[in-house]
Amino acid sequence: GPETSASAVEGSNTLLPTQAQGRPDGDGAAPGPPDPEPGVDVFPGYFEPQEAARCGMNALNNALGQPLHDRHDMSRACEIYLQESRHEGNPESRAMHEGLGGWYSSEVLAKAVTSTPLMRCGRVEHVMRLTPLRVNPQAVRASLGAVVNIRNVHWVALRWVHNTVWLLDGREPGPVPLTWPQYLCLLYTSDAAD
C-alpha cells in the first residue's frame, strides 16, 4: 500500500513519496552522492504551465507527472481538510488554506493527493509528506516528485529523472535541470521567509 506519514509541517518544503513498491520509472534511488551535474538536457516527462495564480495545483500536477488535479479538485480538497479540522476541534478559516486567486496551503495540497484519486478511482495511490526537503535533500531521489514553496509566495515542483533534479516552475517556459548545489540552494532559499 501507499507510504503514510504523520509528520508535521516544518517550513515550506513538502515531499510527495511514491507507492511502497518504488518509483514508476524504475529508478530505485540508490543511496550515495548524487551526480554533480545534470545528465540530460531535455526533460522527458509531463510539464504543466501555470494557470492563473494556481501555482500550487500546477506544481502538484508537475510533481505527479500528470494532469490529475483541477481547480474543482483543489477546492474540494480544501473543504475536506476544513471539515476534518472542525471535526477534530480545530476549526480554521478557508482563507488560511485557499486564496481567491488560487493559492493553496501545503495541507490542501496533501489532502488533494489523497482525496482526488480516492474519489475518482476508489483508492489512494500516493501520499504527501509534510517534511521539508532541506531536512533530507536525498529524499527527492526516492520520490515521485516534490513541491516546494518559495518564500511562501510561489509553489514549484521538483522531479528526480535520469540522475538529475529538475525544477518545474509553471511560470517558466519549461523544466530546468539543476546541479546538486543549485538544488540545495533552492531548498535553503525557499525558507528564507520562514
Side-chain angles (χ1 to χ4, degrees):
E3 186 177 334
T4 58
S5 172
S7 57
V9 177
E10 299 174 16
S12 57
N13 300 330
T14 56
L15 177 65
L16 182 69
T18 63
Q19 296 182 15
Q21 67 262 24
R23 293 172 40 132
D25 63 9
D27 187 345
D35 293 343
E37 297 295 322
V40 191
D41 291 335
V42 178
F43 183 72
Y46 176 79
F47 176 71
E48 179 176 297
Q50 184 168 323
E51 172 190 319
R54 300 185 192 286
C55 58
M57 176 187 76
N58 302 124
L60 190 57
N61 287 337
N62 284 332
L64 288 164
Q66 60 181 316
L68 184 61
H69 301 91
D70 62 26
R71 63 187 181 90
H72 303 292
D73 298 320
M74 300 304 292
S75 288
R76 183 174 37 258
C78 184
E79 187 56 40
I80 293 168
Y81 175 78
L82 293 172
Q83 287 174 358
E84 290 173 355
S85 294
R86 283 190 297 273
H87 180 73
E88 293 171 359
N90 187 26
E92 296 181 15
S93 74
R94 185 175 209 98
M96 290 176 56
H97 298 283
E98 181 179 27
L100 295 176
W103 176 88
Y104 305 102
S105 69
S106 58
E107 293 86 357
V108 170
L109 297 180
K111 184 54 66 180
V113 168
T114 57
S115 66
T116 300
L118 189 60
M119 184 194 76
R120 291 186 184 161
C121 307
R123 67 181 185 272
V124 173
E125 296 180 1
H126 304 94
V127 294
M128 189 164 120
R129 284 195 176 164
L130 297 177
T131 303
L133 277 172
R134 72 181 184 298
V135 172
N136 179 11
Q138 291 281 349
V140 73
R141 295 169 56 107
S143 71
L144 177 59
V147 293
V148 177
N149 190 288
I150 308 297
R151 294 184 179 94
N152 204 26
V153 174
H154 180 61
W155 289 102
V156 298
L158 297 168
R159 301 272 320 262
W160 176 263
V161 179
H162 300 300
N163 294 321
T164 302
V165 177
W166 288 87
L167 171 63
L168 291 84
D169 182 343
R171 294 189 302 193
E172 298 298 327
V176 175
L178 300 178
T179 64
W180 195 255
Q182 289 170 327
Y183 164 65
L184 294 176
C185 183
L186 175 73
L187 295 184
Y188 293 102
T189 302
S190 68
D191 288 321
D194 287 351

